[in-house]
Amino acid sequence: MKTRTHEKSKNSAVEDLNPFHIAEQQFDNAIHYLPGLKRGLVEFLKRPGKSVTLEFPIEMDDGSVQIFTGHRVLHSRVRGPGKGGIRYHPEVTVDEVRALASWMTWKCAVADIPFGGAKGGVACNPKKLSDAVLRRITRRYISGLGDNIGPYVDIPAPDVYTDAKTMAWIYDTYDVMHPGRNNLPVVTGKPLDIGGSLGRHEATARGCLFATQQALSRGVVSGLKSLKGARIVVQGFGNAGAIAAELFHEAGAKIIGVSDSKGAIFRERGFDPSDVLEHKQAKETVVGAAGTEVVSNEELLALPCDILIPAALECQIRADNADAVQARFVVEAANGPTTPAADRLLFSKGIPVLPDILANSGGVTVSYFEWVQNIENEKWAEADVNAKLKNKIERATDAVVERQLEINRQVRAGTLQADSKGKLEPVDLRTAALALAIDRVATVALERGIWP
Ligand code: NAD
């Protein structure tokens, strides 16, 4: 496994950017605030339960053959079957998938939906592959996974560079292998006419909007109570980022900067993100959208704004650039965009971070709704889906905010028993959300009893 590292700008120390090491650090930090947690459970809760790696050949369009590597990691099935997206990206590694799978476990627990955590990925560059090759990759990967996925075992969904079309191929492959039964609940994020749920396409971004609004109304950011007129910067302009930009714009915020893998754009007065989306659909990048100026990725992250929404990939806000962040609030639509060192820096500067396991949990929440509809052969109206989503996300946000208040009240009163960490410090929202999630999973593990 390659460990991505970088030189810190202010000293020569190197920050470990291996996503699974980051997930472990976050977990290790959170359990200090769970003094009642049975110590024997710690490793069981932390380590992924099962990892499958597949190497498979694919015939390319020119008749040549290439080998691809795919992974599926089931982190936990304590609270229900595994659930998690499938990513197609050149930098997919087993440790990235392990990290994403563990974050899924905590996310499902925070959102209080009856799933465990899983994730999958194939190392490939979809931008350079035809649909025919992507379909063959999907079919080989899914058939290779065999019964490691299933409607009550582990249920995939879209993630970076996979979409409803990919999910349709997954469903079809699994259905061919398991004829004679309702296989729709094996995968979520499907096209609407193959059992997809209304509202799923927008769910990650809509959940992000609901969580942000609820956090603001709870006073998480001093002096910023609502989105009206709030200045927003979004990194990443795909399913999570572009739709978040549109929904935040509709909610009265001003989108002043966005980016994709090819570059970033800025306009002081703000712009309508649907114009930028139209430009991206024509030109395959946001760069060059009318009335905007081009800025670098580093400049985008450092723009003075009210809310910065990282919606691309992991490790975007790190030790070497967190100090430059001028946002008043960071809302993680992406998974793992902020490293532990950056978390500490932002916390010390009073910039709250709405953590991924809460902020982007709308996607898996509506995936759960899709799964329920598929099992019941139902089709819910979009307004019902969105209302149920709002309810779930607001409750999850309240639970995280209250957990943070409660932990910090106990820390200040000296009533939380410290263990090996020594003196306990007040926690950020991520640590509070993780403590809540680990507590919920641990409770179920103990209620079920350790097998046998
Ligand atoms: P997507 O493939 O739809 O979009 C990814 C976007 O990020 C694209 O616009 C791409 O150009 C951009 N990007 C890639 N590298 C970049 C870089 N270095 N700088 C700036 N932009 C870059 O993927 P998505 O589904 O929107 O996923 C984005 C993030 O949201 C991921 O972290 C994913 O795990 C997370 N997420 C997605 C869902 C979902 O339902 N799709 C749910 C929860 C979390």
Side-chain angles (χ1 to χ4, degrees), residues 93-147:
T93 62
V94 71
D95 272 7
E96 180 183 58
V97 179
R98 292 165 85 203
L100 290 162
S102 73
W103 289 326
M104 285 303 299
T105 299
W106 312 131
K107 190 180 305 182
C108 293
V110 165
D112 199 14
I113 52 179
F115 286 142
K119 204 83 183 189
V122 178
C124 64
N125 188 352
K127 289 183 183 170
K128 297 200 169 144
L129 299 173
S130 68
D131 266 9
V133 170
L134 286 171
R135 196 179 67 239
R136 290 199 282 275
I137 288 176
T138 304
R139 289 201 191 285
R140 277 302 295 243
Y141 170 60
I142 294 301
S143 60
L145 287 177
D147 287 331

Side-chain angles (χ1 to χ4, degrees), residues 43-190:
E43 288 305 311
F44 167 64
L45 294 175
K46 185 166 149 184
R47 292 190 200 167
K50 189 199 267 187
S51 299
V52 178
T53 293
L54 304 163
E55 307 279 350
F56 51 87
I58 293 293
E59 188 172 336
M60 309 303 283
D61 291 332
D62 64 2
S64 64
V65 173
Q66 268 186 37
I67 298 289
F68 289 85
T69 307
H71 310 280
R72 184 77 187 170
V73 174
L74 176 63
H75 176 258
S76 167
R77 48 183 300 277
V78 168
R79 284 173 49 96
K83 185 85 192 82
I86 288 178
R87 176 174 294 195
Y88 288 173
H89 192 277
E91 285 174 23
V92 161
T93 62
V94 71
D95 272 7
E96 180 183 58
V97 179
R98 292 165 85 203
L100 290 162
S102 73
W103 289 326
M104 285 303 299
T105 299
W106 312 131
K107 190 180 305 182
C108 293
V110 165
D112 199 14
I113 52 179
F115 286 142
K119 204 83 183 189
V122 178
C124 64
N125 188 352
K127 289 183 183 170
K128 297 200 169 144
L129 299 173
S130 68
D131 266 9
V133 170
L134 286 171
R135 196 179 67 239
R136 290 199 282 275
I137 288 176
T138 304
R139 289 201 191 285
R140 277 302 295 243
Y141 170 60
I142 294 301
S143 60
L145 287 177
D147 287 331
N148 286 296
I149 63 165
Y152 299 97
V153 179
D154 179 358
I155 305 135
D159 193 72
V160 174
Y161 299 149
T162 59
D163 55 17
K165 184 168 58 183
T166 329
M167 302 306 116
W169 296 332
I170 292 175
Y171 164 70
D172 185 66
T173 306
Y174 187 85
D175 191 57
V176 166
M177 292 165 65
H178 300 83
R181 64 189 203 200
N182 173 17
N183 288 309
L184 288 175
V186 72
V187 59
T188 58
K190 300 180 293 294

Side-chain angles (χ1 to χ4, degrees), residues 248-314:
F248 277 67
H249 175 75
E250 276 170 28
K254 192 186 278 190
I255 311 300
I256 61 163
V258 299
S259 71
D260 61 21
S261 62
K262 295 186 180 147
I265 55 169
F266 166 66
R267 189 183 196 208
E268 179 65 43
R269 282 197 289 133
F271 48 79
D272 184 340
S274 44
D275 295 341
V276 177
L277 193 58
E278 226 172 84
H279 176 86
K280 184 171 166 85
Q281 274 155 1
K283 308 278 182 199
E284 295 186 351
T285 174
V286 298
V287 176
T292 63
E293 65 180 275
V294 176
V295 291
S296 69
N297 181 52
E298 287 307 299
E299 287 167 330
L300 181 95
L301 295 176
L303 285 172
C305 62
D306 292 306
I307 303 179
L308 171 62
I309 307 181
L313 295 167
E314 299 92 59

